[in-house]
Amino acid sequence: MRAGDIAIGGDEFVVMAGPCAVESERQVLDTAVSVAKAGAQILRGGAYKPRSSPYSFQGLGVEGLKILSKARELTGLLVITEVMSETDVDVVADYADIMQVGARSMENFALLERLGTCGRPVLLKRGMTATLEDLLRSAQFIVAYGNPDVILCERGIRTFETATRNTFDVAAVPVLKTVSHLPVIVDPSHAAGVRSLVPVLARAAVVVGADGLLVEVHPQPEKAVSDGEQSLTLAQFDSMMVDLDPYLDLRKVAGMAFAAAGGND
Ligand code: PEP
Ligand code: MN
């Protein structure tokens, strides 16, 4: 599928990177310039944040969307940002190139229905306790209501393991690539919960046939208002991209072999 002039789910490996939340113009512009230089094609950043406490930062809303838009003008990166409510779909679609549905909203059916007619591709995150079938049913909702451009996102699930924030279900990628034609993106940041594990999970995502990554990056993670522990610094993101290169080259040569790894035989 296409978002702007970027093809997602084809030969190209697509990297979406940026802060968990839009905090300020400086923070977003610095991040955007840096991740673009490192090879990302799409800028992420939440202007509407689903927070587990009402006392946490809830996002800058429209002001945040405007900052993302400015970063797009400056860098040429496309913008992906979360939409939490069907009443915000129009305003988010005015500024975003791709609409993100968060893990907590995967079964917000009023939202999914409305995204059927939003005119933008939708990245649908797997719910924390959702099976792959649940995820695909939610994707079908968006498609059934008129929007075929759905991107699936594995971001880790809740298990009994506590060493990582969530458990990266690595098999989800080849399974989804086998049973569905939709692109599959991996978010290693929310799976890991700590920045030290993000590059290795990203590498695993390439090798199992993911179509791209969604990665949290912050110019000063220690000052981030959300998800600082799992955000890469700008320099760490650079290194991660350089380190991924040989795997991406291999993916080009053996792309079909990676993708076929999920075949049922
Ligand atoms: C996010 O991408 O910052 C986010 C809130 O992710 P998730 O919905 O996967 O928890
Ligand atoms: Mn986050």
Side-chain angles (χ1 to χ4, degrees), residues 186-210:
V186 168
D187 170 350
S189 309
H190 290 84
V194 287
R195 74 177 67 85
S196 59
L197 289 174
V198 171
V200 68
L201 298 192
R203 203 183 311 150
V206 174
V207 173
V208 290

Side-chain angles (χ1 to χ4, degrees), residues 45-50 80-84 92 98-103 105:
Y48 297 86
K49 293 305 299 176
I80 178 168
T81 194
E82 177 159 356
V83 59
M84 288 170 57
V92 174
I98 304 175
M99 315 284 276
Q100 175 175 327
V101 176
S105 300

Side-chain angles (χ1 to χ4, degrees), residues 30-41 75 77 237-238 241-242:
D30 286 354
T31 308
V33 168
S34 181
V35 300
K37 207 162 134 229
Q41 297 98 323
T75 59
L77 292 171
F237 180 73
D238 278 357
M241 293 295 278
V242 170

Side-chain angles (χ1 to χ4, degrees), residues 56-69:
S56 304
F57 176 69
Q58 306 293 315
L60 295 180
V62 179
E63 192 196 331
L65 296 175
K66 289 186 176 155
I67 293 173
L68 290 167
S69 225

Side-chain angles (χ1 to χ4, degrees), residues 19-21 44 49 125 165 187 189-190 216 226-227 230:
C20 179
R44 65 147 289 151
K49 293 305 299 176
K125 285 191 151 198
R165 181 177 180 184
D187 170 350
S189 309
H190 290 84
E216 288 184 338
S226 62
D227 289 349
Q230 68 194 33

Side-chain angles (χ1 to χ4, degrees), residues 5 13 15 36 47 61 84 89 107-108 152 205 215-216 222 236 243:
D5 55 5
F13 190 77
V15 179
M84 288 170 57
V89 166
E107 290 189 326
N108 178 344
L152 305 171
V215 185
E216 288 184 338
E222 67 290 352
Q236 285 168 334
D243 293 346

Side-chain angles (χ1 to χ4, degrees), residues 168-251:
F168 172 27
D169 180 4
V170 75
V173 179
V175 170
L176 291 171
K177 294 291 293 179
T178 304
V179 300
S180 151
H181 66 285
L182 299 173
V184 179
I185 296 289
V186 168
D187 170 350
S189 309
H190 290 84
V194 287
R195 74 177 67 85
S196 59
L197 289 174
V198 171
V200 68
L201 298 192
R203 203 183 311 150
V206 174
V207 173
V208 290
D211 295 296
L213 297 171
L214 180 69
V215 185
E216 288 184 338
V217 181
H218 195 289
Q220 292 172 291
E222 67 290 352
K223 296 207 174 129
V225 298
S226 62
D227 289 349
E229 329 71 57
Q230 68 194 33
S231 299
L232 299 177
T233 62
L234 304 180
Q236 285 168 334
F237 180 73
D238 278 357
S239 312
M240 184 192 86
M241 293 295 278
V242 170
D243 293 346
L244 280 181
D245 261 346
Y247 297 90
L248 292 173
D249 288 344
L250 197 60
R251 179 184 181 274

